[in-house]
Amino acid sequence: MEKSANGWPASADPEEIAIIRKRVPGTDLKLGVARPVAPLLIAFAADFHRLIEPLDEGQLDDWGYCYRKVRGSQAVISNHASGTAIDLNATKHPLGKEGTFSQDQIKIIRRLCRKYGLKWGGDYRYRKDEMHVEIALNSAQVSTLISALDLEKTNDKDKTEQAI
């Protein structure tokens, strides 16, 4: 099976890698993410909405799973292809643009990324991607962190989850 840049299974068939649509608490927005990492990505998105800036539900600029290569690459499979990355308020924070968040917002983003085991695209060395966060852990680390944060209940099937 193919792997995305962060080492997670990737597939053009969302069922093959357990992609689900999960509602972000505090919004009506649903994001496509891999079931094993859903508690972390969805909790981050909820905190982003609450602490950094609202997720604009009228604008279709928040997304997760999408089978594709990294923009500009011919070989590297995007972490979106494994359902282990999300983009939030993409039109406000376009690919390649720096300084779209205040210093206070950046501090909160970095703190939340540490909390949820994520890497922020605003910290990329070359082309910045401030809309983007991705899982930076392996599956054992993800399971351990979900337990430590007591997020198991969000991994159970509930009314906010749909298969893609």
Side-chain angles (χ1 to χ4, degrees):
M1 176 173 283
E2 294 180 293
K3 302 272 185 188
S4 61
N6 62 0
W8 285 79
S11 177
D13 177 1
E15 289 182 15
E16 184 177 17
I17 55 172
I19 299 297
I20 57 171
R21 285 179 44 82
K22 190 91 172 151
R23 188 181 61 79
V24 175
T27 76
D28 290 329
L29 175 68
K30 290 184 179 180
L31 295 172
V33 293
R35 178 171 295 170
V37 301
L40 299 174
L41 290 173
I42 297 303
F44 174 89
D47 283 350
F48 181 98
H49 174 72
R50 204 169 41 83
L51 301 171
I52 299 165
E53 64 185 23
L55 296 175
D56 183 0
E57 296 171 26
Q59 183 85 15
L60 297 178
D61 66 348
D62 308 291
W63 47 78
Y65 171 78
C66 178
Y67 183 77
R68 64 176 176 81
K69 303 273 193 307
V70 170
R71 302 271 186 235
S73 170
Q74 298 299 313
V76 181
I77 297 174
S78 169
N79 294 323
H80 290 282
S82 61
T84 60
I86 56 175
D87 292 340
L88 302 174
N89 290 341
T91 56
K92 294 178 185 174
H93 312 288
L95 178 64
K97 186 158 184 179
E98 294 182 54
T100 64
F101 290 102
S102 72
Q103 288 304 309
D104 288 340
Q105 288 172 316
I106 290 170
K107 286 178 189 174
I108 296 168
I109 291 168
R110 287 180 175 145
R111 181 175 51 83
L112 291 174
C113 283
R114 284 190 301 276
K115 176 180 180 179
Y116 294 116
L118 306 175
K119 182 176 183 179
W120 177 48
D123 285 332
Y124 286 171
R125 187 171 179 186
Y126 298 106
R127 183 181 62 185
K128 303 294 184 183
D129 194 1
E130 294 187 352
M131 71 177 99
H132 180 91
V133 294
E134 63 193 43
I135 294 291
L137 305 172
N138 64 37
S139 73
Q141 292 168 320
V142 162
S143 295
T144 299
L145 184 56
I146 288 169
S147 292
L149 295 173
D150 197 24
L151 297 174
E152 291 102 346
K153 62 186 172 289
T154 62
N155 206 24
D156 295 334
K157 231 180 175 128
D158 64 25
K159 294 182 225 171
T160 68
E161 180 181 309
Q162 303 172 309
I164 287 191

